[in-house]
Amino acid sequence: PVVLTAGAITYPFTFSLIDLISELYGPQKAKLAVWIGLAMSLCMTAGIAIISWLPAYAASPIDQATFEQVFGFTPGIVVGSMVAYCIAQLTDIYLFAWIRQWTREKYLWLRSNSSTLISQGIDTLLFGLIAWVLWPNLGLSKEVQPLPWTTWYIIMGNEYGFKVVFTLLNTPLVYIGVYMARRWSRP
């Protein structure tokens, strides 16, 4: 069976969005989008943490234990996500711009796929190492135990394989997105 984390299924789309922003508005605007995304993620994480510390309403159909099980604050996963997000997205922006200049603004498919595949490899590796190996080995959270290396390799391989397939299948959507945005934004 293919083993993936929940974020691996939705997160790859953000690389396509950052590539669209880079293509249409340049690397500075794409970096701004990354920093705004990080700020929003931190706000959401802080909000969920605060809410989980508050007692549940007695008549609520969802008790405190269920809420914490679903929205539980797991620091290693948050730290792994945020570190991997920043480094991978900024790497994607840098590589996209470099390939764009190198190809003289031709071959959108090459810059989008190359920058995304390299950056998603970095993201997968960093998140997996921090969330599933390094953080649990620090012993700061009892909720998460370190994954055995054999399990870690399977999850990381499956996640990156999914991201490769997603990226390649998403290439037409990148072209459509650029076309529509340019057409829509014309005066």
Side-chain angles (χ1 to χ4, degrees), residues 12-24:
F13 192 67
T14 64
F15 286 89
S16 298
L17 293 175
I18 291 298
D19 286 351
L20 283 172
I21 294 169
S22 291
E23 178 69 15
L24 297 166

Side-chain angles (χ1 to χ4, degrees), residues 30-154:
K31 287 177 189 174
L32 178 62
V34 169
W35 293 120
I36 290 171
L38 177 65
M40 295 298 99
S41 293
L42 291 172
C43 288
M44 183 189 69
T45 301
I48 290 171
I50 291 167
I51 291 167
S52 69
W53 296 329
L54 298 173
Y57 175 60
S60 174
I62 300 170
D63 63 15
Q64 189 73 23
T66 303
F67 181 86
E68 288 177 11
Q69 186 176 10
V70 173
F71 292 104
F73 182 68
T74 307
I77 292 174
V78 172
V79 169
S81 295
M82 298 304 156
V83 169
Y85 168 80
C86 285
I87 292 172
Q89 293 288 356
L90 295 174
T91 299
D92 184 54
I93 293 166
Y94 171 79
L95 290 173
F96 187 93
W98 182 79
I99 295 168
R100 185 173 196 218
Q101 183 179 8
W102 180 65
T103 61
R104 296 186 175 115
E105 299 186 15
K106 296 178 185 174
Y107 314 116
L108 173 59
W109 64 270
L110 178 66
R111 62 182 167 268
S112 179
N113 287 331
S114 300
S115 65
T116 297
L117 291 173
I118 292 167
S119 300
Q120 286 183 345
I122 291 168
D123 178 78
T124 303
L125 180 67
L126 284 176
F127 173 75
L129 278 174
I130 294 169
W132 306 121
V133 178
L134 298 176
W135 188 271
N137 277 313
L138 292 175
L140 301 173
S141 298
K142 293 181 176 144
E143 304 91 23
V144 179
Q145 298 300 313
L147 287 180
W149 284 107
T150 53
T151 304
W152 184 84
Y153 286 124
I154 290 169

